[in-house]
Amino acid sequence: MSNSTMLKGKTAVITGSNSGIGLGVAWELARAGADVVLNSFTDRDEDHAIATRIAEETGVSARYIQADMSKGDDCRALIEKAGACDILVNNAGIQHVAPIDEFPVEKWDAIIAINMNSAFHTTAVALPMMRKAGWGRVVNIASAHGLTASPFKAAYIAAKHGVVGMTKTVALETAREHITANAICPGYVLTPLVEAQIPDTARKYDMSEEEVTQKVILERQPSKEFATVEQIGGTTVFLCSDAAAQITGTTISVDGGWTAL
Ligand code: NAD
């Protein structure tokens, strides 16, 4: 089976996919033949234009559906509007960096809602669709911070550890139904989420942005290279393949060796 037809006939919903990793995952799933549903909280022409471009370049059907992943009802409506969901990629996420005693409550609530609770809501609606189809894949984009911690990221780390735990439960509840649930744990990937942290960190440590990239951001990534969105997309496609049919309830690190330290 050629890679471009492997996922033909499957519909993939990728939350938070108008930029960064989610968009990279959407491209790789589309290149593997899946119809894709893109999402974010905005509803701009350029959001819909991304879907049009993916459809034109890969030949799959691609749609953009606006839904705010900080709201449970919106998460559920996204899957309902998609109409089918063979592959669910829970990717939407935000970050905020502050010591725990200064951590703004509204930031804590938003991170827990978007990075963790959204996966509960989307999975709850998607699983009956997967069961009906007799096949399904849940791929949660967690993080190296789902397995280990760093200072000043309490909400993010709590949410990502929560997602890893939820992934195991979903795997156990679906183990005999040809549905798998796994979490991908990327190290640093150069996306808008990471780029936004560089100037603040540079100011904080009185360093140049290049020094911050090498000495602070990639400090814990032994490869000293960012992972790419294509690599996270390729790992997602692998988890959707027959070769991965018995891989469930686990994590795959794409972190240049970070969690081996
Ligand atoms: P990004 O900022 O480029 O993308 C985040 C996506 O989530 C965007 O499409 C954004 O529009 C969307 N989003 C944000 N709030 C939303 C909301 N309320 N409703 C719907 N969509 C919303 O960041 P990214 O680096 O691509 O992050 C994607 C995921 O990967 C996140 O869950 C992040 O935690 C995880 N991750 C990223 C890295 C990294 O180094 N970039 C590492 C590990 C894990």
Side-chain angles (χ1 to χ4, degrees):
M1 198 183 292
S2 89
N3 199 38
S4 64
T5 54
M6 190 185 108
L7 297 176
K8 199 167 163 31
K10 308 289 190 206
T11 299
V13 181
I14 307 106
T15 71
S17 44
N18 66 351
S19 95
I21 291 173
L23 182 55
V25 168
W27 269 107
E28 295 309 313
L29 288 170
R31 288 188 179 116
D35 295 328
V36 291
V37 175
L38 306 178
N39 153 264
S40 186
F41 58 92
T42 48
D43 198 11
R44 306 164 302 183
D45 289 348
E46 63 206 80
D47 296 320
H48 295 272
I50 299 172
T52 306
R53 221 186 113 211
I54 292 178
E56 283 172 359
E57 288 196 22
T58 64
V60 303
S61 143
R63 284 176 291 156
Y64 177 88
I65 300 178
Q66 185 275 341
D68 184 346
M69 294 297 102
S70 70
K71 300 184 177 129
D73 289 348
D74 270 33
C75 298
R76 289 168 184 265
L78 168 64
I79 306 300
E80 277 155 14
K81 284 182 193 162
C85 184
D86 305 293
I87 299 163
L88 171 63
V89 183
N90 287 304
N91 167 80
I94 58 168
Q95 176 63 288
H96 185 79
V97 179
I100 199 158
D101 49 324
E102 294 169 17
F103 213 93
V105 172
E106 66 279 9
K107 293 283 185 198
W108 173 277
D109 289 343
I111 290 173
I112 298 296
I114 297 168
N115 297 21
M116 185 181 78
N117 294 350
S118 69
F120 156 63
H121 293 293
T122 55
T123 304
V125 181
L127 282 185
M129 295 179 178
M130 294 179 186
R131 287 187 169 120
K132 207 164 159 209
W135 187 95
R137 294 287 186 267
V138 179
V139 179
N140 292 326
I141 307 299
S143 169
H145 281 131
L147 304 168
T148 181
S150 297
F152 314 128
K153 296 184 177 176
Y156 188 87
I157 283 155
K160 294 298 186 182
H161 277 70
V163 164
V164 169
M166 183 168 27
T167 305
K168 294 179 192 175
T169 296
V170 174
L172 294 177
E173 291 186 14
T174 58
R176 298 181 68 163
E177 298 174 301
H178 303 111
I179 297 168
T180 69
N182 293 289
I184 297 177
C185 293
Y188 279 110
V189 184
L190 196 58
T191 65
L193 182 140
V194 170
E195 283 169 318
Q197 296 174 49
I198 296 176
D200 275 356
T201 314
R203 268 192 298 278
K204 193 163 156 230
Y205 290 102
D206 195 20
M207 283 179 173
S208 72
E209 294 193 6
E210 179 52 29
E211 277 178 301
V212 165
T213 301
Q214 284 301 323
K215 294 185 183 158
V216 181
I217 296 191
L218 292 178
E219 196 245 334
R220 292 174 72 184
Q221 199 143 308
S223 65
K224 299 296 172 201
E225 286 177 17
F226 286 104
T228 66
V229 299
E230 290 78 11
Q231 288 162 351
I232 309 302
T235 306
T236 305
V237 171
F238 166 68
L239 285 172
C240 294
S241 72
D242 287 343
Q246 289 299 318
I247 299 177
T248 195
T250 193
T251 58
I252 298 193
S253 292
V254 185
D255 67 1
W258 177 339
T259 46
L261 279 175

